[in-house]
């Protein structure tokens, strides 16, 4: 039956929560199968056939079975066009999501995360410690990766995840939905029989997944000999193991322990009388990392009640309270400085057992004992370079609806995300590191308020039906933080803000990011006879971060779907046993992004001179109050097909075009500024996505399901600003990542080996070496590739035989490059496998030429492996070209085994069900050319230079055993 659904904005100034279930209870929705109903923008439940855009749903049980500490990682390989970018710093490090490529040159490019209608802050990586919004991703001493917000969510509380990728799907969220939306719906109380209590527990073990390819033939020394007395050398250019009495030790294995991960979840769900349901849960996660003295804990408590009450059940309500407490102890630091002790482990000569330096180092205030007098023992660092943080987070939302009559209803909502984060860092005396102390406090909140009025009417104009919805919303978010640090403690190891002798040297920063967006928006749908649907949305935002004359900006979208099989059936009664469902769809939308707080007007910042006097200084960015919001135009067409009522095929083509980019363009420092804020430039992403799902075998006792997804992406930078052709994204020294006009996102620039470039020369392409026979670097930087993957794919096989289940996921990326600083460090230290080809270090002559007086002569100079790699790795990062690697990789991501005990054995017991399972993650790297470096490791995860790897800790493989009991 066709219905008209009308929503008219009510009380746009009323503070009401941004929450999910705006379910439109049409007859068609009620009658549709469960797997045909999906949750879309603002929680509206719709039939899949009505959607004119690409949509993917991930069931909560899929995420539970993956047993990932960070639920973000459980999405890898499961959604077409979705890439998970991971930090490499232990169990509490960040992971971030990218959908359909990078759409912004400066923004974080993550989709908006919405949990039961409440937006969840999902910032990743380190924190911005100044009001200019810049992060410390310093090559030597970066700030700690503090994790991402989505990692706070307990997977066992999730009912489903809806991934809105296209602009038409997310346009109702305005500027915040420009990069897509991840909608998370948590569980509600359901009658399950018995007491409604479920208890699950898991025990996991964590080991190193990948280690760099290393030579195992030579030990400590230089030029093939042992070190002279009192040498500070720790490189492995010494004598061979063969023929000596030296033993070889695996110091990575000896230092890193087997991590232990345990998790407990207790939940209760039940109907509390007619019309009221309750879901509550408590979860505890304890992850003792493979990294010594590093630990992550998470407590998660949730209560959610849904009720339908009053005369004729006219009132509907939903209330949810969720409290999350996380504690991290000794997050590993990145970078190449003393704060990151991993290089000392990785680069340790293999004839020395690192365990010989363990005794007496694992307590505070002891002298570091190491191979060299000034070196820092990694055990000392793990127990004397300490940090800890605790975050208390609350997710609250409420919903109240009143049905005035059979065609008119009104509802109000409110929601908040709030957390308080306290962090502390201490470096004790006993090494060459300075006795230091840092402490910080951060508070964040986001409040959302919304109200609406809904009218419904059946049989409007014959076979025509439809709906229209109008909303009003107010959003406010604020982050306030204080950061204090000093490296000059008066009394050693007294960690206090008052115990410092260097007032001017204190890094004492206060930030206050405050932003508001007021919005009105609407959606409308018309349909003809249940097979042709046209949807439109319109949203207008008013952002506090833009000037008054530019504060208002408008985002429309339109989409349509035509269900061919239903159309043919209704027009002439035709049905097909082969093509049992066919739908064509198309969509167009405009979304965008506004400025961050305080990026309009130029102000001064207060500082102190060496004598403690007050000084004022300019900020490094020249702002422009005339800037307006970014715009992202998206276009999408596709088809949903089903064959034999068993094989589902979803094919999409999309193109996203971003314009008016809000970027910081570099300036001449003599101007008094380093950058100027502009609104210019553009980029585009286009590609195809294919999703296939089928039950290859479906019998009473045996089922074999295959779910596969594939996405292909083409990324192009269209414009920066006038004559400017490159915009920096990140990097260090001679390795740079850029948005370059005409090239894919994330062009990698660096030095190359100096070669003969004249195509007419008989020596064309050969290396040009010096008189010493060693390779040389170019003076300029050159394009060496880009970080953008050309394709992503995931392939899941699931088998169920009676009560036994087994599934596995193979996923990967194709194309793109990354730079590995780890490989450069190994080469310099003589530990990379390339430094001892075939286990030998014979002298050799490079096939090269020597340039002299404009002419080339054949090189005849014999060189050693040590001299060659010293030349290749000279400086901080060496010749860039040497360590650019193909990021293509294919891995067996996950294996799951399970057994459900027959219910018949519980007939006389309080126990209703029992399940045991085994999960393994990061099982096998099937294909990679990165020489033992995991291409998923990223150094500065909060930047857009995600192709830069810098001495990241080894990625992990985990094995988990689980038991689930239902009472």
């Amino acid at each position: 039956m066709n219905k008209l659904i009308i929503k008219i904005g009510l009380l746009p100034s009323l503070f009401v929560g941004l929450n999910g279930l705006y379910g439109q209870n049409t007859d068609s929705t009620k009658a549709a199968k469960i797997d045909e109903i999906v949750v879309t923008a603002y929680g509206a439940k719709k039939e899949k056939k009505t959607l004119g855009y690409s949509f993917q749903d991930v069931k909560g049980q899929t995420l539970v079975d993956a047993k990932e500490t960070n639920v973000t990682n459980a999405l890898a390989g499961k959604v077409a066009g979705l890439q998970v970018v991971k930090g490499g710093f232990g169990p509490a490090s960040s992971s971030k999501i990218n959908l359909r490529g990078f759409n912004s040159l400066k923004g974080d490019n993550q989709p908006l995360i919405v949990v039961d209608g409440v937006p969840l802050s999902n910032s990743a990586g380190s924190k911005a410690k100044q009001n200019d919004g810049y992060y410390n991703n310093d090559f030597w001493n970066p700030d700690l990766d503090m994790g991402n917000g989505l990692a706070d969510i307990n997977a066992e509380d999730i009912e489903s995840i809806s991934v809105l990728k296209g602009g038409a799907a997310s346009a109702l969220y305005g500027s915040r939905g420009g990069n897509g939306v991840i909608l998370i719906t948590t569980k509600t109380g359901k009658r399950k029989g018995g007491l409604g209590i479920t208890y699950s527990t898991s025990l996991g073990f964590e080991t190193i997944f990948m280690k760099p390819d290393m030579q195992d033939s030579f030990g400590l020394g230089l030029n093939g000999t042992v070190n002279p007395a009192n040498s500070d050398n720790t490189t492995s250019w010494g004598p061979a193991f063969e023929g000596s009495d030296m033993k070889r030790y695996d110091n990575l294995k000896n230092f890193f322990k087997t991590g232990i991960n345990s998790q407990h979840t207790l939940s209760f769900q039940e109907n509390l009388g007619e019309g009221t349901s309750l879901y509550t849960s408590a979860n505890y996660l304890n992850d003792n990392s493979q990294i010594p003295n590093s630990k992550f804990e998470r407590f998660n408590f949730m209560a959610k009640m849904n009720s339908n009450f009053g005369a004729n059940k006219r009132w509907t309500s939903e209330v949810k309270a969720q409290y999350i407490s996380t504690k991290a102890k000794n997050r590993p630091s990145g970078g190449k400085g003393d704060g990151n002790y991993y290089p000392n482990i990785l680069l340790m000569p293999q004839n020395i057992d690192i365990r010989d330096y363990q005794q007496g180092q694992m307590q505070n205030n002891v002298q570091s004992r190491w191979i060299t007098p000034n070196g820092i023992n990694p055990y000392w660092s793990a127990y004397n370079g300490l940090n800890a943080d605790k975050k208390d987070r609350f997710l609250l939302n409420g919903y109240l609806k009143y049905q005035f009559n059979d065609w008119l209803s009104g509802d109000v909502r409110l929601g908040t995300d709030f957390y308080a984060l306290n962090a502390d860092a201490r470096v004790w005396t006993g090494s060459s590191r300075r006795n230091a102390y840092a402490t910080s406090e951060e508070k964040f909140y986001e409040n959302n308020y919304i109200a609406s009025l809904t009218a419904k009417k059946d049989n409007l104009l014959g076979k025509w039906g439809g709906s229209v919805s109008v909303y009003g919303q107010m959003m406010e978010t604020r982050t306030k933080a204080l950061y204090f640090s000093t490296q000059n403690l008066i009394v050693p190891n007294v960690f206090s803000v008052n115990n410092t002798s260097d007032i001017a040297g204190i890094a004492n920063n206060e930030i206050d990011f405050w932003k508001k967006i007021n919005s009105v928006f609407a959606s409308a749908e018309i349909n003809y006879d249940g097979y042709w649907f046209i949807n439109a949305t319109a949203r207008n935002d008013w952002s506090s971060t833009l000037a008054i004359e530019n504060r208002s900006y408008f985002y429309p979208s339109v989409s349509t779907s035509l269900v061919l099989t239903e159309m043919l059936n209704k027009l002439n009664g035709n049905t097909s046993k082969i093509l049992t469902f066919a739908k064509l769809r198309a969509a167009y939308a405009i979304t965008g992004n506004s400025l961050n707080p305080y990026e309009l007007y130029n102000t001064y910042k207060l500082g102190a001179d060496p004598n403690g006097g007050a000084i004022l200084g300019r900020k490094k960015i020249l702002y422009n109050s005339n800037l307006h919001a970014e715009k992202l135009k998206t276009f999408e067409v596709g088809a949903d097909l089903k064959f034999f009522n068993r094989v589902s095929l979803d094919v999409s083509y999309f193109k996203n075009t971003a314009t008016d980019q809000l970027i910081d363009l570099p300036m001449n420092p003599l101007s008094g500024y380093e950058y100027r804020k502009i609104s210019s430039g553009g980029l585009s992403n286009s590609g195809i996505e294919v999703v296939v799902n089928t039950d290859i075998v479906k019998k009473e006792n045996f089922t074999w399901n295959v779910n596969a997804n594939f996405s292909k992406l083409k990324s192009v930078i269209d414009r920066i600003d006038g004559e400017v052709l490159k915009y920096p994204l990140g990097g260090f020294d001679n390795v740079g990542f850029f948005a370059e006009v005409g090239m894919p996102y994330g062009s990698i620039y660096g030095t190359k080996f100096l070669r003969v470039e004249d195509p007419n020369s008989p020596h064309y392409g050969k290396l040009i070496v010096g008189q010493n026979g060693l390779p040389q670097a170019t003076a300029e930087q050159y394009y060496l590739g880009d970080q953008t993957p050309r394709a992503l794919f995931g392939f899941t096989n699931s088998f169920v035989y009676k009560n036994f289940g087994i599934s596995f996921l193979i996923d990967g990326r194709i194309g793109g490059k990354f730079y590995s600083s780890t490989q450069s460090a190994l080469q310099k230290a003589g530990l990379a496998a390339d430094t001892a080809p075939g286990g030998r270090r014979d002298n050799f002559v490079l096939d090269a030429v020597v340039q002299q007086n404009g002419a080339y002569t054949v090189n005849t100079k014999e060189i050693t492996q040590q001299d060659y790699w010293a030349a290749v790795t000279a400086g901080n990062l060496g010749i860039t070209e040497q360590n650019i690697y193909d990021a293509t990789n294919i891995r067996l991501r996950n294996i799951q085994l399970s057994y459900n005990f027959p219910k018949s054995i519980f007939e006389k017991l309080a126990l209703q069900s029992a399940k045991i399972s085994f999960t393994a993650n990061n099982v096998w790297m099937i294909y990679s050319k990165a020489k033992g470096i995991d291409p998923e490791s990223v150094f500065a995860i909060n930047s857009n230079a995600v192709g830069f790897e810098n001495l990241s800790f080894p990625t992990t493989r985990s094995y988990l055993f689980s038991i689930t009991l239902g009472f």
Side-chain angles (χ1 to χ4, degrees):
M1 183 177 291
N2 300 308
K3 287 196 172 187
L4 172 66
I5 303 174
I6 305 176
K7 288 191 177 181
I8 303 173
L10 173 68
L11 305 179
S13 62
L14 182 64
F15 286 73
V16 184
L18 176 59
N19 188 11
L21 309 172
Y22 280 88
Q24 299 174 354
N25 296 317
T26 64
D27 292 345
S28 59
T29 301
K30 288 182 179 180
K33 296 179 181 179
I34 293 297
D35 61 356
E36 295 175 346
I37 303 298
V38 294
V39 179
T40 62
Y42 286 92
K45 291 183 177 180
K46 293 188 176 184
E47 290 185 83
K48 286 184 180 180
K49 70 177 185 178
T50 69
L51 304 180
Y53 47 79
S54 175
F55 177 94
Q56 271 191 263
D57 203 21
V58 180
K59 301 301 180 184
Q61 190 60 44
T62 303
L63 307 175
V64 172
D65 292 340
K67 297 298 179 186
E68 289 278 7
T69 299
N70 187 337
V71 71
T72 314
N73 298 333
L75 293 172
K78 295 182 174 67
V79 178
L82 184 149
Q83 180 185 9
V84 177
V85 182
K86 299 180 182 178
F89 300 102
S93 63
S94 297
S95 296
K96 70 178 182 179
I97 300 170
N98 179 254
L99 289 171
R100 292 183 170 179
F102 288 71
N103 294 315
S104 177
L105 301 182
K106 189 172 182 291
D108 75 350
N109 286 286
Q110 288 203 90
L112 176 67
I113 308 295
V114 179
V115 181
D116 288 330
V118 178
L120 177 83
S121 173
N122 191 40
S123 59
S126 61
K127 300 289 186 177
K129 294 184 177 179
Q130 296 185 27
N131 269 344
D132 58 12
Y134 273 78
Y135 302 92
N136 173 21
N137 292 319
D138 180 65
F139 176 79
W140 297 98
N141 294 296
D143 287 337
L144 294 175
D145 180 350
M146 300 300 291
N148 65 299
L150 186 53
D152 292 343
I153 301 300
N154 171 29
E156 298 213 31
D157 288 335
I158 297 175
E159 182 71 31
S160 66
I161 290 183
S162 301
V163 182
L164 310 182
K165 292 177 285 188
S170 60
L172 271 185
Y173 289 97
S175 61
R176 311 188 70 202
N179 295 307
V181 180
I182 305 291
L183 298 177
I184 298 177
T185 303
T186 60
K187 294 177 179 178
T188 56
K190 296 178 181 178
R191 181 77 180 177
K192 299 187 70 175
L195 300 176
I197 296 174
T198 302
Y199 170 72
S200 66
T201 182
S202 65
L203 178 65
F205 303 94
E206 176 186 273
T207 61
I208 294 176
F209 173 48
M210 294 186 70
K211 295 189 292 187
D213 296 345
M214 299 169 67
Q215 61 86 8
D216 56 6
S217 303
F218 298 88
L220 174 67
L222 286 170
N223 300 310
T225 62
V226 297
N227 284 336
N230 300 320
S231 172
D232 285 335
N233 172 61
T234 58
T235 61
S236 296
W237 294 106
F241 283 100
E242 185 177 351
S244 73
D245 58 358
M246 294 188 300
K247 293 183 179 180
R248 181 184 175 274
Y249 302 95
D250 186 340
N251 287 315
L252 288 177
K253 180 180 178 181
N254 292 340
F255 182 85
F256 293 104
K257 59 189 179 68
T258 299
I260 298 178
N261 172 309
S262 63
Q263 190 164 186
H264 306 270
T265 300
L266 182 66
S267 66
F268 170 76
Q269 54 181 320
E270 191 59 273
N271 289 334
L272 305 179
E274 186 180 354
T276 300
S277 63
L278 174 68
Y279 174 85
T280 63
S281 71
N283 170 265
Y284 172 64
L285 167 71
N286 186 321
D287 195 330
N288 280 289
S289 169
Q290 65 171 351
I291 303 168
N293 206 30
S294 181
K295 181 179 180 180
F296 177 68
E297 291 181 281
R298 185 185 69 213
F299 300 84
N300 202 311
F301 303 94
M302 173 179 157
K304 183 177 181 181
M305 179 177 286
N306 298 78
S307 187
N308 191 239
F309 59 95
N312 300 318
K313 302 293 184 181
R314 291 183 181 273
W315 291 95
T316 303
S317 68
E318 177 182 296
V319 178
K320 190 194 81 169
Q322 191 168 3
Y323 168 67
I324 306 158
S325 174
T326 61
K327 298 178 182 178
K329 177 183 177 184
N330 301 326
R331 296 176 184 266
S333 176
K336 209 170 184 179
D338 290 338
N340 183 5
Y341 57 81
Y342 174 60
N344 285 348
I345 308 164
L346 177 69
L347 304 179
M348 189 172 187
Q350 296 175 82
N351 61 305
I352 299 175
D353 188 349
I354 196 170
R355 294 170 296 186
D356 292 341
Y357 293 86
Q358 182 177 7
Q359 187 68 30
Q361 296 292 292
M362 301 191 305
Q363 56 186 349
N364 299 139
N365 196 24
V366 296
Q367 190 65 34
S368 175
R369 177 174 57 87
W370 193 231
I371 307 169
T372 59
N374 295 321
I376 304 175
N377 187 321
Y379 290 107
W380 183 95
S381 293
Y383 289 86
N384 287 271
L386 307 177
N387 65 78
D389 58 83
K390 183 178 187 298
K391 179 168 64 175
D392 295 294
R393 187 171 205 156
F394 296 88
L395 292 173
L396 308 172
N397 61 274
Y399 163 64
L400 183 64
K401 174 184 175 182
Y402 182 70
Q403 189 77 34
F404 295 99
N405 50 45
D406 62 349
W407 61 273
L408 181 65
S409 66
D411 60 57
V412 293
R413 295 178 179 270
L414 60 89
T416 186
D417 175 18
F418 166 81
Y419 69 75
L421 173 64
N422 294 281
D424 183 283
R426 307 178 180 197
V427 179
W428 291 73
T429 56
S431 77
S432 58
R433 292 188 69 184
R434 299 179 71 175
N435 192 197
Y437 175 58
T439 185
S440 64
E441 295 182 355
E442 177 184 328
K443 291 184 178 180
F444 165 88
Y445 71 81
E446 177 177 322
N447 296 328
N448 284 275
Y449 315 95
I450 196 166
S452 68
L453 187 66
T454 303
K456 301 180 181 180
K457 189 66 176 177
D458 292 337
N459 301 323
L460 182 61
L461 294 172
K463 294 182 178 182
W464 289 94
S467 67
V468 60
S469 309
V470 182
Y471 308 80
Q473 179 189 347
M474 298 179 69
M475 185 280 290
E476 178 182 7
T477 182
R478 191 171 190 177
T479 302
K480 287 180 66 69
L482 287 171
Y483 299 95
F484 166 89
S485 66
T486 181
Q487 295 186 347
N488 294 290
L489 297 179
I490 301 172
V491 180
N493 300 329
V494 176
F495 300 103
S496 169
V497 295
N498 297 317
N499 181 33
T500 180
S501 59
D502 187 4
I503 301 299
I506 298 175
N508 190 358
N509 294 319
E510 178 181 9
I511 67 166
D512 187 355
F513 297 117
W514 194 2
K515 182 176 183 177
K516 294 183 178 182
I517 298 178
N518 294 335
S519 309
V520 292
F521 47 102
S523 66
E525 175 189 302
I526 59 173
N527 72 82
Y528 180 76
D529 204 14
Y531 62 78
W532 183 29
F533 305 87
I534 301 174
N535 292 270
T537 70
R539 175 168 176 140
N540 202 92
D541 288 349
W542 290 265
S543 173
S544 66
T545 62
L546 295 171
I548 293 176
E549 56 271 21
N550 298 322
R551 187 163 291 171
S552 172
Y553 43 97
F554 179 67
Y555 296 135
S557 80
V558 62
S559 63
T560 183
S561 67
L562 177 63
V563 184
L564 295 175
T565 45
E566 289 199 22
M567 180 184 71
L568 294 175
N569 183 36
K570 290 186 176 182
L571 291 178
N572 53 31
N574 286 346
T575 59
S576 170
K577 293 183 179 180
I578 299 176
L579 183 62
T580 51
F581 180 82
K583 181 183 81 171
L584 301 178
R585 49 185 168 78
Y588 176 79
I590 299 177
T591 58
N593 190 26
S594 66
L595 281 169
N596 289 323
Y598 318 126
E599 294 187 342
L600 280 181
Y601 306 109
N602 298 295
T603 58
Y604 290 92
K605 59 181 179 179
L606 184 64
D609 63 26
N611 297 319
I615 58 173
L616 292 174
R618 285 179 174 176
K619 293 184 178 181
K620 59 185 178 182
I621 303 175
L622 176 62
Y623 293 124
N624 179 357
S625 60
N626 294 319
L627 296 181
H628 49 81
E630 293 181 351
K631 286 190 177 181
L632 176 65
K633 300 176 182 179
T634 66
F635 170 72
E636 175 183 338
V637 293
D640 299 341
L641 307 173
K642 197 165 188 176
F643 301 92
F644 305 104
N645 212 29
R646 178 176 290 187
V647 180
S648 298
L649 174 65
D650 183 334
V651 181
S652 303
Y653 168 81
F654 67 90
K655 183 171 184 178
N656 302 338
T657 303
T659 59
D660 299 328
Q661 294 282 294
L662 296 168
I663 58 177
D664 301 332
L665 203 65
M667 293 181 65
N668 187 332
L670 295 177
S671 66
Y673 298 94
E674 296 181 23
Y675 306 92
R676 61 187 175 96
K677 180 73 67 174
I678 66 169
S679 177
S680 180
L683 59 95
S684 60
N685 292 298
S686 60
I688 60 171
E689 295 172 348
V690 180
V691 181
V692 178
N693 185 76
T694 180
D695 288 327
I696 295 179
V697 178
K698 190 173 183 179
K699 296 184 177 180
E700 182 178 354
N701 291 325
F702 179 67
T703 302
W704 174 15
N705 177 268
V706 172
N707 187 289
N709 66 80
F710 173 83
S711 61
K712 189 176 186 300
L713 177 68
K714 181 181 180 181
S715 166
V716 178
I717 305 299
D718 299 318
R719 184 176 181 270
I720 302 297
D721 179 48
E723 297 180 355
V724 177
L725 299 180
K726 291 196 301 183
Y727 177 76
L729 303 174
F732 177 76
D733 202 22
N734 58 310
V735 181
F737 291 78
F738 298 89
E740 181 182 10
V741 174
M743 305 299 290
Y745 194 99
S747 295
I748 307 174
Y749 271 74
T751 54
K752 297 196 302 184
F753 286 93
L754 189 63
R755 291 184 173 87
V756 177
E757 301 291 345
D758 183 1
N760 297 317
S761 171
H763 304 291
Y764 175 62
K766 285 194 173 183
L767 296 179
I768 302 175
V769 297
Q771 296 294 330
N772 54 11
L774 297 174
Q776 303 174 93
T778 56
E780 298 179 355
Q781 295 185 356
Y782 292 86
Y783 174 78
L784 300 174
D786 65 83
Q787 67 184 24
T788 299
R790 301 303 185 262
L792 303 169
F793 68 89
F795 182 73
T796 302
N797 275 270
S798 301
F799 304 88
V800 176
Y801 176 69
K802 294 185 177 179
N803 294 326
F804 292 92
I806 180 173
S807 69
F808 62 88
L809 166 62
I810 296 174
D811 75 315
R813 66 173 281 175
I814 301 171
K817 306 283 187 180
F818 75 102
Y819 175 83
S820 174
S821 172
T822 299
Q823 280 291 353
S824 178
L826 286 167
Q827 293 157 4
K828 181 174 287 190
L831 278 169
D834 290 340
T835 64
R840 300 173 61 85
R841 282 185 171 160
D842 299 328
N843 292 353
F844 65 102
V845 177
L846 281 173
D847 182 14
V849 295
V850 179
Q851 185 176 24
Q852 191 172 13
N853 299 324
Y856 298 113
T857 58
V858 176
N859 173 53
T860 59
K861 182 70 174 180
E862 188 176 79
I863 57 175
T864 67
Q865 288 285 342
Q866 180 177 332
D867 289 340
Y868 173 81
W869 289 105
V872 170
T873 61
N876 290 316
L877 297 173
I879 301 176
T880 312
E881 180 185 8
Q882 174 64 44
N883 289 304
I884 297 291
Y885 296 94
D886 186 353
T888 299
N889 69 94
I890 303 170
R891 72 184 72 205
L892 178 55
R893 173 79 62 180
N894 179 276
I895 291 179
Q896 299 165 18
L897 303 171
S898 65
Y899 178 74
N900 285 285
F901 289 91
K903 292 186 177 181
S904 59
I905 68 176
F906 306 123
E907 289 180 355
K908 297 183 180 181
L909 301 175
L911 193 64
Q912 299 289 309
S913 62
K915 176 183 176 181
I916 58 174
S917 60
F918 167 77
T919 300
N921 290 313
N922 265 346
V923 182
W924 174 32
M925 180 61 78
I926 300 171
Y927 176 86
S928 174
K929 291 184 177 181
K931 300 181 179 179
I933 303 297
D934 193 334
E936 288 188 345
S937 296
V938 173
F939 171 56
I941 198 166
N942 56 7
S943 83
N944 289 322
V946 296
F948 188 60
E949 185 275 330
N950 183 26
L951 292 164
S952 300
F953 278 68
T955 50
T956 61
R957 175 187 288 121
S958 58
Y959 310 89
L960 302 106
F961 301 87
S962 306
I963 300 175
T964 303
L965 304 174
F967 298 90

